């Protein structure tokens, strides 16, 4: 199953290397990973999407990450109420005929046009991964020249329903 | 920190010293009494400071020797072993030892030289990315960016190495950092927000375990190196005796519970005793303490403790549930947890039937081998070693058949007398580790039990015995083969002995003589006994080359893929 893991890490050289190295060593396959600053300049936030077989493997992943000296906090966000977003830049081939059609098509996605040339347009779309996927599928028939996606970043919602709460590992 | 030192520090606060001098000061702060190392270009400034400081330094003949010696030292003293090597090849020569220390949780602080900061990343002479290389095999590692950071980094490194689940920490010091000047000042408190090992157990889980003992009929304690690391031997003894719970041990846990105690059923695992393995197979409550359920212990997991409720006490939360599902997880140091268990004991239960059953296994199917008047049996050799040293020596082994025979037949009734490479199974470990052990515990006899194969991987360290006149006794269990490999080829590859027979060998006695060390070849029990007694009383280094039965196999054995109950060779 797909898991979204968030790790708060010290903003030090090597920390990302340690984190990804650990995943490789333990045979976890990273689907995507985003890293960025947080409200504290000494701390960065890493959001990972990984495929794991079962809960035990997921627990193992969280615990192995947590063990690293420069990783401060690890959370499995998978079963939490989340706000998650991804940004994609999509370059689509256009002809004078399709240009306005594409414009209409992207409107419900609140995608915006960033760049226009004679042969193509570059669009920006933000949303959860499913929304980004859906737009890409819609645009595919026109001919997609290039896509660049940031990968998912996420934050738990302010209020969590009790039942949705991640069952806390009894041992952490 | 001692008050005098604090005061002294304050007065010299304004004075500047070199990074190398900060290094020496850092070692002194941590009360380091010996460094195992090997010099080279990138550590010349550090070696110069060592020279002036008169810090004890053991010059091995290979960096691998230095790090295994530091491991042996750490195992018997409980203090972190300190290693120093130069950049590039010096650093990469340490890699095997670092991996070994990581998997066996041995506290080490390793210093490597590095090329100067301004040429890092240019493939400079003797540059190797040792921080990158060792990331997966260190508990933590650092590259020092500024000389003034060194005292803080050293303080953190010693703390991280020797607390929680212990392990190796590496500090890479670029050459210019060792030369640069920085203020000599006291290090303020540690600040490691991402590192807070759990020492005290969750009292709820402790209660659950005591309750589980009330309903269990067949409980067993499986004790590992965590008991030794935490110095929890007394607490373990009290716990086992109170409830009368049978104890079995991992390879690395030997000595944590006295082998001669009626509740001790010996080592479990691939070459464990019948009683110990059947205890794990049959139990209804398995209490693992400071053991990590490694595959050489469990055999096929489909048959491991299938009828049992599993309780696991470990200082490393990631070990719990890693290999086997665990009903009662207890994160905590073995000592604190056993103390808590002992303080909240429930009613004494009656495990008599279970104890009787296991004791029957122990007496009817003990470890055994076929003796033969004409030959020196390796198992007998271990028994003679025990007898002559009265079981009180430190025994450090290499890896292979001799290692298993030592584990089976030396029998440890005292803790911290047993040094072996468990998780990594590093040939070449045993002899240098014995050197480190002797440096750490000069008061005890130290015996290196090595194979004729593995000894040849690090025998250059005979130079250290000669140099320091260290009375380590090297016992070569000479079966003229890479015995463990040969055994597997015999059993699983129809005796196709592919590159495992060592018919051509050096004359080990002459080799010792070349180092000015006395040696002897022993072909029978009497010669072994005589030579050992002489060596022990001479208080000089000694090499004893023992011609043992060449085609002897280690039994009992659990073949790969088999369960604990499917032992072969139980009757020798
Ligand atoms: C560095 C290293 N290389 C290879 C092995 C694989 N190996 C395990 S036991 C063994 C044979 C060891 O022979 P020897 O030292 O003579 O000991 P014996 O088994 O004969 O007692 C080998 C090659 C290893 N454990 N370590
Ligand atoms: Mg051999």
């Amino acid at each position: 199953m797909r898991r979204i893991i968030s790790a708060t890490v010290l903003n030090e050289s090597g920390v990302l290397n340690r984190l990804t190295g650990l995943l490789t060593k333990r045979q976890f396959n990273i689907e995507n990973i985003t890293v960025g600053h947080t409200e504290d300049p000494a701390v960065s936030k890493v959001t990972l999407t990984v495929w794991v077989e079962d809960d035990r493997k997921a627990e193992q992943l969280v615990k192995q990450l947590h063990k690293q000296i420069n990783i401060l906090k690890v959370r499995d966000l998978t079963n939490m109420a989340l706000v998650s977003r991804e940004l994609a830049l999509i370059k689509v081939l256009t002809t004078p005929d399709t240009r306005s059609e594409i414009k209409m098509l992207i409107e419900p996605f609140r995608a915006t046009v960033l760049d226009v040339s004679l042969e193509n347009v570059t669009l920006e779309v933000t949303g959860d991964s499913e929304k980004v996927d859906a737009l890409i599928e819609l645009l595919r028939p026109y001919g997609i020249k290039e896509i660049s996606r940031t990968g998912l970043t996420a934050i738990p919602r302010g209020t969590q329903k009790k039942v949705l709460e991640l069952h806390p590992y009894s041992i952490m | 920190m001692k008050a005098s030192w604090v005061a002294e520090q304050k007065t010299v606060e304004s004075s500047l010293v070199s990074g190398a001098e900060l290094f020496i000061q850092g070692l002194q702060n941590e009360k380091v009494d010996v460094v195992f190392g090997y010099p080279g270009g990138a550590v010349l400034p550090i070696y110069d400071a060592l020279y002036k400081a008169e810090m004890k330094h053991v010059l091995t003949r290979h960096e691998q020797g230095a790090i295994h010696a530091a491991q042996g030292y750490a195992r018997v003293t409980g203090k972190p072993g300190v290693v120093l090597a130069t950049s590039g090849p010096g650093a990469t020569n340490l890699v095997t030892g670092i991996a070994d220390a990581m998997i066996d949780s041995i506290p080490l602080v390793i210093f490597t030289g590095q090329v100067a900061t301004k040429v890092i990343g240019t493939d400079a002479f003797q540059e190797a990315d040792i921080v990158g290389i060792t990331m997966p095999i260190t508990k933590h590692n650092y590259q020092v960016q500024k000389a003034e950071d060194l005292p803080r980094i050293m303080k953190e490194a010693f703390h991280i190495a020797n607390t929680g689940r212990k392990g190796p920490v590496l500090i890479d010091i670029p050459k210019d950092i060792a030369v640069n000047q920085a203020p000599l000042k006291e290090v303020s408190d540690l600040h490691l927000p991402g590192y807070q090992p759990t020492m005290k157990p969750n009292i709820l889980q402790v209660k659950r375990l005591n309750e589980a003992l009330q309903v269990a009929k067949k409980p067993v304690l499986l004790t590992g190196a965590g008991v030794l690391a935490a110095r929890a031997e007394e607490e373990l003894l009290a716990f086992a005796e109170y409830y009368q719970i049978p104890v079995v041990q991992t390879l690395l846990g030997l000595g944590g519970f006295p082998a001669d105690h009626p509740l001790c059923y010996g080592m479990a695992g691939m070459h464990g005793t019948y009683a110990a393995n059947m205890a794990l197979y049959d139990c209804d409550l398995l209490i693992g303490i400071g053991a990590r359920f490694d595959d050489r212990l469990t055999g096929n997991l489909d048959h491991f403790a299938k009828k049992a409720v599993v309780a696991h006490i470990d200082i490393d939360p990631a070990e719990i549930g890693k290999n086997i599902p665990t009903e009662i997880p207890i994160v905590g140091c073995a000592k604190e947890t056993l103390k808590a268990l002992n303080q909240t004991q429930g009613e004494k239960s009656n495990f008599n039937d279970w104890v009787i059953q296991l004791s029957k296994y122990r007496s009817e199917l003990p470890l055994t081998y076929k003796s033969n008047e004409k030959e020196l049996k390796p198992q007998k050799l271990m028994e003679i070693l025990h007898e002559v040293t009265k079981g009180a020596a430190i025994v450090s082994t290499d890896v292979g058949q001799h290692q298993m025979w030592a584990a089976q037949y030396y029998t440890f009734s005292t803790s911290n007398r047993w040094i072996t490479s468990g998780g990594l199974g590093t040939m070449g470990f045993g002899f240098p580790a014995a050197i480190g052990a002797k440096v750490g515990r000069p008061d005890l006899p130290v015996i290196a039990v090595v194979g004729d194969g593995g000894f040849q991987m690090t025998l250059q360290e005979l130079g250290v015995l000669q140099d320091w006149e260290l009375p380590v006794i090297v016992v070569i269990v000479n079966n003229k083969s890479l015995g463990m490999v040969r055994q597997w080829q015999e059993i699983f590859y129809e005796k196709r002995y592919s590159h495992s027979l060592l018919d051509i060998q050096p004359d080990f006695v002459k080799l010792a003589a070349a180092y000015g060390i006395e040696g002897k070849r022993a072909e029978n029990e009497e010669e072994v006994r005589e030579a050992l007694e002489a060596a022990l009383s001479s208080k000089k280094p000694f090499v004893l080359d023992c011609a043992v039965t060449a085609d002897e196999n280690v039994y009992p054995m659990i073949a790969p893929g088999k369960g604990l109950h499917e032992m072969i060779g139980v009757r020798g």
Side-chain angles (χ1 to χ4, degrees):
Chain A
M1 75 199 295
R2 193 153 157 259
R3 290 273 174 172
I4 305 169
I5 311 272
S6 139
T8 314
V9 305
L10 285 178
N11 195 2
E12 291 172 351
S13 84
V15 57
L16 206 57
N17 202 345
R18 224 172 220 284
L19 190 150
T20 54
L22 190 149
L23 281 135
T24 314
K25 171 180 162 184
R26 308 238 174 225
Q27 297 214 294
F28 289 101
N29 199 359
I30 306 178
E31 193 169 278
N32 73 57
I33 179 166
T34 62
V35 194
H37 293 299
T38 62
E39 68 285 358
D40 179 349
V43 168
S44 294
K45 171 92 67 87
V46 181
T47 310
L48 292 162
T49 316
V50 273
W51 276 95
V52 295
E53 277 158 40
D54 51 33
D55 284 354
R56 220 169 100 201
K57 269 226 132 186
E59 178 176 332
Q60 183 58 205
L61 170 59
V62 169
K63 292 199 287 194
Q64 290 293 350
L65 287 172
H66 194 258
K67 211 160 99 172
Q68 304 309 308
I69 312 287
N70 41 20
I71 297 182
L72 302 178
K73 192 173 171 189
V74 186
R75 276 194 297 183
D76 186 339
L77 303 180
T78 316
N79 296 325
M80 298 181 84
L82 289 184
V83 196
S84 66
R85 286 292 178 270
E86 178 175 18
L87 183 145
L89 300 176
I90 310 164
K91 192 181 279 173
V92 195
L93 295 178
T94 54
T95 62
D97 299 343
T98 58
R99 201 167 291 142
S100 56
E101 205 176 309
I102 288 174
K103 260 193 137 164
M104 268 179 40
L105 219 144
I106 64 173
E107 212 166 90
F109 290 86
R110 293 172 203 260
T112 49
V113 177
L114 296 183
D115 183 48
V116 185
S117 75
L118 280 178
E119 289 93 30
N120 57 54
V121 289
T122 301
L123 314 167
E124 174 199 313
V125 64
T126 312
D128 56 26
S129 299
E130 287 72 25
K131 174 178 158 189
V132 174
D133 289 344
L135 179 60
I136 289 171
E137 283 320 306
L138 271 179
L139 292 171
R140 208 174 282 288
Y142 297 92
I144 290 177
K145 230 182 143 213
E146 205 178 333
I147 298 179
S148 184
R149 296 174 73 152
T150 59
L152 199 73
T153 189
I155 224 168
R157 288 187 184 275
T159 13
Q160 295 284 324
K161 277 199 207 126
K162 267 276 177 308
V163 280
L164 274 179
E165 243 169 51
L166 173 70
H167 86 95
Y169 299 117
S170 44
I171 47 187
M172 296 199 26
Chain B
M1 202 177 292
K2 271 199 254 130
S4 62
W5 156 238
V6 176
E8 195 186 306
Q9 284 304 291
K10 290 219 168 107
T11 59
V12 290
E13 185 138 8
S14 55
S15 65
L16 291 176
V17 300
S18 71
E21 284 165 302
L22 288 175
F23 165 81
I24 301 289
Q25 190 61 66
L27 295 185
Q28 284 166 353
N29 289 354
E30 299 299 330
K31 306 197 170 51
V32 171
D33 52 16
V34 59
V35 175
F36 299 91
Y38 207 98
V43 284
L44 279 170
I46 291 179
Y47 269 85
D48 194 46
L50 268 180
Y51 185 84
K52 293 179 202 151
E54 292 177 8
M55 167 69 68
K56 180 169 174 184
H57 174 278
V58 175
L59 174 71
T60 54
R61 270 45 172 178
H62 189 297
E63 287 86 355
Q64 186 184 356
I67 191 159
H68 292 328
Q71 291 180 268
Y73 173 91
R75 259 267 184 256
V76 298
T77 61
K79 293 195 277 183
V82 178
V83 183
L84 174 58
T86 193
S87 68
T92 55
N93 271 349
L94 298 175
V95 167
T96 303
I98 299 175
D100 191 283
M102 182 69 175
I103 200 162
D104 282 353
S105 311
I106 299 178
L108 295 181
V109 180
I110 302 138
F111 297 89
T112 50
Q114 183 53 278
V115 300
T117 46
K118 61 177 185 302
V119 293
I120 289 179
T122 66
D123 305 314
F125 178 62
Q126 295 195 328
E127 179 180 1
D129 174 17
I130 199 63
V131 170
I133 290 169
T134 61
M135 212 164 261
I137 51 168
T138 48
K139 186 171 173 184
H140 197 50
N141 62 11
Y142 298 87
Q143 186 174 68
V144 186
Q145 305 295 337
K146 291 189 296 252
E148 67 200 66
D149 292 342
L150 188 56
R152 172 188 56 84
I153 289 175
M154 284 179 73
K155 188 167 177 162
E156 289 179 5
F158 276 89
H159 175 72
I160 291 168
N162 210 27
T163 53
R165 179 172 181 177
K166 300 175 183 196
V169 179
L170 181 138
I171 303 177
D172 196 32
I173 308 179
K175 191 169 184 179
D176 53 324
I177 300 295
V179 177
N180 289 351
Q181 302 280 306
L184 181 67
K185 60 172 184 217
E186 69 182 279
V187 191
S188 55
D189 287 341
L190 285 166
H191 180 64
L192 291 166
Y195 180 66
Q196 277 131 4
T198 309
M199 303 304 284
K200 291 225 192 293
N202 179 329
I203 211 68
L204 237 82
Q205 301 290 357
V206 168
K207 213 173 135 228
R208 284 183 62 206
L209 177 49
N210 269 319
E211 281 163 10
L213 275 161
Q214 302 302 313
V215 291
K217 296 266 175 295
K218 302 173 169 187
V220 63
L221 278 160
L222 170 68
T223 64
V227 169
L228 298 164
R231 303 269 142 126
E233 301 90 336
E234 271 178 43
E235 289 80 2
L236 172 64
L237 188 65
F239 182 64
E241 283 185 341
Y242 177 82
Y243 284 112
Q244 290 292 303
I245 311 171
V247 178
V248 304
Q249 298 173 306
T250 69
L251 173 69
L252 287 173
L254 295 177
F257 191 81
D260 53 5
H261 193 284
L263 284 170
C264 188
Y265 293 87
M267 179 172 78
M270 183 172 273
H271 295 296
T273 65
Y274 184 80
N277 284 336
M278 288 312 288
L280 292 177
Y281 178 73
D282 251 351
C283 63
D284 66 358
L285 173 63
L286 169 58
I287 308 168
I289 310 182
R292 61 188 176 81
F293 299 108
D294 150 269
D295 53 285
R296 289 280 153 127
L297 176 101
T298 61
N300 187 334
L301 282 172
D302 294 340
H303 303 291
F304 182 75
K306 277 291 158 204
K307 305 165 217 169
V309 168
V310 176
H312 191 177
I313 300 165
D314 206 289
I315 198 158
D316 179 0
E319 281 306 332
I320 298 175
K322 185 180 80 176
N323 293 340
I324 55 166
T326 302
E327 284 85 357
I328 309 177
I330 309 185
V331 180
C333 139
K335 195 179 184 84
E336 294 294 335
T337 306
L338 282 162
K339 263 192 197 160
L341 281 163
N342 288 337
Q343 279 159 9
T344 53
Q345 281 154 344
E347 298 270 302
K348 286 192 193 195
S349 320
N350 185 348
F351 306 132
N352 257 348
D353 291 348
W354 173 234
V355 169
I356 288 168
Q357 183 190 339
L358 293 180
S359 300
K360 202 165 153 228
Y361 290 152
R362 182 173 55 194
S363 59
E364 288 174 8
L365 293 166
L367 291 169
T368 180
Y369 59 94
K370 296 188 178 69
S371 6
N372 176 338
E373 292 290 291
K374 283 182 267 158
E375 292 175 38
L376 177 58
K377 287 281 177 166
Q379 299 92 333
K380 182 72 193 175
L381 172 61
M382 301 305 157
E383 290 174 340
I384 298 174
L385 275 177
H386 181 104
E387 195 187 303
V388 175
T389 58
K390 301 187 180 65
I394 290 174
V395 176
S396 171
T397 79
D398 215 73
V399 170
Q401 291 183 310
H402 64 280
Q403 174 188 32
M404 293 301 127
W405 287 317
Q408 292 176 329
Y409 291 94
Y410 188 85
T411 60
F412 295 86
S413 293
T414 320
S415 62
N416 303 311
R417 298 286 193 273
W418 169 241
I419 308 168
T420 201
S421 167
L424 203 65
T426 305
M427 281 173 74
F429 171 89
F431 174 44
I435 291 176
K438 188 72 202 177
V439 171
R441 287 299 303 267
D443 54 320
L444 290 174
V446 175
I447 307 209
V449 174
V450 297
D452 47 315
F455 183 49
Q456 295 189 60
M457 285 199 178
T458 45
L459 61 71
Q460 75 284 347
E461 306 306 341
L462 283 169
V464 178
L465 296 196
Q466 179 183 28
D467 196 352
W468 292 80
E469 290 176 14
L470 271 185
V472 170
I473 301 174
V474 181
V475 173
I476 305 171
V477 183
N478 195 339
N479 51 11
K480 290 185 153 182
S481 67
L482 303 174
M484 192 56 99
V485 173
R486 193 206 54 74
Q487 171 169 348
W488 281 54
Q489 290 170 338
E490 179 187 328
I491 303 174
F492 305 116
Y493 295 88
E494 296 166 324
K495 303 193 179 180
R496 288 187 296 277
Y497 296 130
S498 181
H499 303 277
S500 58
L501 303 181
L502 298 176
D503 297 318
I504 307 294
Q505 280 188 335
D507 182 328
F508 289 111
V509 177
K510 279 192 187 150
L511 189 77
Y515 283 93
I517 295 169
E518 210 183 312
K520 203 170 179 314
R521 174 139 173 113
E523 318 241 338
N524 59 47
E525 294 172 20
E526 241 356 88
E527 286 173 5
V528 170
R529 216 172 255 120
E530 240 167 64
L532 271 179
E533 266 155 12
L536 278 170
S537 56
S538 80
K539 305 248 185 296
K540 286 201 188 114
F542 196 86
V543 173
L544 183 58
D545 180 19
C546 302
V548 298
T549 308
D551 55 2
E552 190 71 21
N553 287 338
V554 182
Y555 286 122
M557 176 179 191
I558 297 163
K562 299 289 184 186
L564 288 181
H565 60 306
E566 299 173 286
M567 275 164 277
I568 54 172
V570 172
R571 287 167 206 280

